[in-house]
Amino acid sequence: MSNKIPSNFLWGGSTSAYQFEGGFDQGGKGKSIQDTRTNIPQGTTDFKVASDHYNHWKEDVALMAEMGFKSYRFSIAWTRILPEGDGEVNKEGIEFYNNLINELLKYKITPIVTMFHFDLPHSLNLDGGWLNKRTINAFEQYAKVLFESYGDRVKHWLTINEQNVMILFGEIVGINLPKGGNKLKNIYQVNHHMMLAQAKAINLCHEIVKNGKIGPAPNITSVYGNTNKPIDQFAAFNMRVMRNWFYLDTCVFGRYNQLVINYLQANNSMFEYTEEEMKIIKKGKPDFIAFNYYASATAKMPESDELFDELPDQQKVKSVKGMYEQVKNDNLLKTQFGWEIDPLGFRNTIRELWDRYQLPLIVTENGIGGYDTLTSDGKVHDDYRIEYYKFHLKELKAAIIEDKIDIFGYNPWSAIDLTSTHEGVKKRYGFVYVNRDEFDLKDLKRYRKDSFFWYQNLIKTNGEEL
Ligand code: BG6
């Protein structure tokens, strides 16, 4: 058994279209819900220009190549391909990603494409969004166009980014889940429709893309009990299932986890599905699991009867009546934005995923958002980011070498600075600084941060020199 990371390991970085591309009204792009979003937190920018990658793509790919990227995980904007969500195909949109993919391949960077990353077409949303079955059919058409257009060169596909976050924390990432009616039932109905759309895309990929591989990309995390009281471990189990396994069990095993079904039935909120739909879901088996990890979570049993539909920050307290309450973990350090930092939790998460599913794994997000300062001589000293990566990569290496887990890539968030889902441009994640402020676009010039050179060396030594 080798004590090294495999030589074909996919070291890279990640972005998403609406947070990175900009060009919201260029090239025939239709509007997505991120363009029409009204709940942008005060003091933060919108997504219209973002990092203007749409007009800087060649330069951006060259920077990735200079870092030595072996892979680049990005999302395709659904509304660049199908401006209305379904129907007419936009040739200019097809061309944009053709050029991007060809440029990546020129540098031998493997494209890893997310099909849907929080940017539902606005026109589908007006028609009920994921609650309406039209969106399932639209996603199927979109998937077919993608596989037929790019499947000759793109062999790694991700279906839906963080479906679990959209279901559990929709509003903070700009998703308005259906209002009115039985909200709990509607949310899980949306989830079922996404599961079905995902399975149809997996099946289509297997039919159309020669040697194509496809998988889901949820946000997965280890969950600790707040104390060693049995009741806290009971709550941690509930949270683990409701937050993680419910989504992956459906995709990998083709069945809904009983714990969540019981919870929905007890709350008179069971969603509707047919046997035929479950057959499609069962057939749509993924080839690997992609996952995003930022921090672990800690749970206790809720003391009060708080309701499910409180919508907190991604890492603030969340309570699900009778099931679990997410609490802060005082043993962990925090980022400048208050997110917990838990490198060993990363390894715990990887171990749990492997133990449960025995499918190859790829990390599609991991990273730290913070304030960065551009010095007068054009440098960014982001030591805190390098530290974060060192500790997490030490655990990743241990998972590969000591635990012997099949992990084939690491694509942290983010390759280049972009706009955070709800905390603006000031919360920076990239190896490359993009010169703009929240509301002042400045010159959008790119600057290599200290972490750029550190990551470049890490890739060059295939993870040897942390
Ligand atoms: C993940 C998303 O939830 O976390 C990304 O897939 C997001 O889109 C990332 O940017 C970091 O979260 P935030 O809210 O700090 O941007």
Side-chain angles (χ1 to χ4, degrees):
M1 176 54 66
S2 164
N3 60 355
K4 284 192 163 40
I5 292 179
S7 58
N8 59 353
F9 191 77
L10 295 178
W11 294 105
S14 243
T15 63
S16 87
Y18 85 95
Q19 294 174 271
F20 190 44
E21 261 177 29
F24 78 107
D25 60 353
Q26 285 182 271
K29 182 181 174 299
K31 285 198 180 89
S32 87
I33 55 168
Q34 300 296 345
D35 300 316
T36 54
R37 181 168 165 183
T38 52
N39 69 342
I40 297 191
Q42 225 193 348
T44 63
T45 181
D46 55 32
F47 300 93
K48 294 193 169 70
V49 178
S51 301
D52 202 29
H53 171 68
Y54 188 76
N55 298 301
H56 287 73
W57 58 274
K58 262 198 174 189
E59 180 191 349
D60 290 342
V61 173
L63 283 161
M64 294 174 204
E66 191 183 324
M67 266 187 281
F69 275 22
K70 310 284 184 219
S71 55
Y72 170 46
R73 180 245 182 176
F74 62 97
S75 78
I76 287 184
W78 188 339
T79 51
R80 248 186 225 299
I81 304 296
L82 296 162
E84 295 299 310
D86 52 15
E88 194 92 19
V89 176
N90 173 33
K91 290 211 176 73
E92 260 190 274
I94 298 278
E95 207 42 35
F96 173 68
Y97 296 108
N98 257 330
N99 292 336
L100 176 62
I101 290 164
N102 291 342
E103 190 73 3
L104 289 166
L105 293 174
K106 184 175 108 187
Y107 291 107
K108 300 196 168 42
I109 299 175
T110 300
I112 302 173
V113 174
T114 316
M115 301 166 67
F116 171 51
H117 192 127
F118 301 163
D119 52 355
L120 185 70
H122 177 65
S123 74
L124 293 179
N125 200 46
L126 285 179
D127 207 13
W130 282 104
L131 201 54
N132 186 339
K133 288 193 173 179
R134 174 183 162 200
T135 300
I136 307 175
N137 297 332
F139 190 74
E140 200 178 358
Q141 187 204 342
Y142 170 54
K144 193 159 182 274
V145 175
L146 294 188
F147 300 146
E148 285 174 351
S149 306
Y150 309 121
D152 57 333
R153 288 153 292 154
V154 176
K155 302 297 174 186
H156 295 78
W157 293 90
L158 309 173
T159 53
I160 299 181
N161 179 71
E162 296 194 350
Q163 182 171 331
N164 56 339
V165 169
M166 285 190 278
I167 298 302
L168 296 167
F169 310 100
E171 283 182 21
I172 54 167
V173 290
I175 317 282
N176 290 309
L177 291 170
K179 295 213 166 35
N182 180 337
K183 189 169 180 191
L184 183 59
K185 177 179 171 186
N186 283 345
I187 288 173
Y188 280 87
Q189 192 67 53
V190 161
N191 177 70
H192 174 65
H193 290 169
M194 286 184 182
M195 284 296 176
L196 191 54
Q198 167 168 271
K200 289 184 173 204
I202 292 176
N203 293 333
L204 268 180
C205 178
H206 289 151
E207 277 164 34
I208 301 174
V209 182
K210 198 168 165 234
N211 300 323
K213 295 202 183 314
I214 185 163
N219 178 310
I220 300 296
T221 186
S222 240
V223 182
Y224 310 135
N226 194 35
T227 69
N228 59 7
K229 282 185 203 156
I231 190 71
D232 284 343
Q233 301 306 322
F234 189 80
F237 179 89
N238 289 344
M239 182 172 177
R240 222 169 276 141
V241 174
M242 290 196 86
R243 191 196 181 289
N244 300 327
W245 309 148
F246 178 63
Y247 301 89
L248 284 174
D249 284 2
T250 314
C251 183
V252 179
F253 303 140
R255 59 170 163 74
Y256 282 116
N257 191 297
Q258 191 63 45
L259 186 110
V260 178
I261 301 301
N262 293 345
Y263 167 77
L264 294 175
Q265 283 172 343
N267 286 282
N268 297 318
S269 300
M270 185 56 199
F271 57 89
E272 281 148 34
Y273 65 91
T274 66
E275 285 313 313
E276 200 46 45
E277 290 169 347
M278 290 315 291
K279 268 193 206 146
I280 296 170
I281 288 177
K282 205 171 177 79
K283 187 172 171 229
K285 281 205 186 339
D287 303 293
F288 59 81
I289 294 172
F291 73 102
N292 302 344
Y293 172 88
Y294 288 90
S296 56
T298 303
K300 68 171 193 176
M301 206 54 173
E303 279 145 27
S304 65
D305 266 5
E306 268 182 76
L307 288 177
F308 176 81
D309 60 3
E310 298 298 319
L311 284 160
D313 190 280
Q314 200 161 333
Q315 292 214 329
K316 270 194 211 147
V317 172
K318 172 165 181 75
S319 201
V320 181
K321 193 178 171 182
M323 300 298 279
Y324 69 85
E325 178 178 331
Q326 189 175 346
V327 292
K328 295 276 177 211
N329 186 333
D330 295 334
N331 301 298
L332 302 175
L333 295 173
K334 312 260 184 305
T335 71
Q336 294 163 357
F337 282 80
W339 286 31
E340 290 171 348
I341 303 176
D342 184 6
L344 189 56
F346 187 32
R347 183 160 167 201
N348 289 336
T349 303
I350 295 169
R351 286 171 155 216
E352 288 179 40
L353 276 167
W354 179 248
D355 195 49
R356 193 172 181 98
Y357 301 108
Q358 300 273 308
L359 279 175
L361 302 172
I362 179 165
V363 181
T364 39
E365 286 182 37
N366 173 233
I368 183 167
Y371 299 98
D372 285 330
T373 314
L374 184 65
T375 62
S376 53
D377 58 347
K379 307 253 182 320
V380 177
H381 302 304
D382 57 343
D383 304 6
Y384 72 98
R385 178 166 294 111
I386 297 174
E387 284 301 291
Y388 179 96
Y389 282 132
K390 276 186 183 169
F391 284 106
H392 283 78
L393 286 168
K394 188 170 154 277
E395 298 304 334
L396 181 90
K397 276 174 82 173
I400 297 173
I401 294 164
E402 292 169 36
D403 298 336
K404 302 181 179 36
I405 297 175
D406 181 0
I407 307 172
F408 66 98
Y410 180 72
N411 291 268
W413 190 264
S414 54
I416 295 174
D417 278 351
L418 38 69
T419 309
S420 150
T421 58
H422 68 298
E423 294 186 280
V425 164
K426 62 184 162 299
K427 189 185 194 185
R428 294 176 182 271
Y429 280 94
F431 296 108
V432 174
Y433 184 92
V434 174
N435 191 33
R436 64 161 289 181
D437 276 348
E438 218 64 65
F439 300 105
D440 178 357
L441 291 177
K442 298 189 174 175
D443 57 8
L444 291 157
K445 207 173 147 199
R446 274 66 171 145
Y447 291 89
R448 295 159 183 82
K449 300 184 191 177
D450 288 355
S451 58
F452 177 101
F453 299 104
W454 173 82
Y455 195 45
Q456 183 183 53
N457 187 54
L458 180 96
I459 297 177
K460 199 164 109 203
T461 62
N462 196 29
E464 284 294 305
E465 280 179 33
L466 276 183

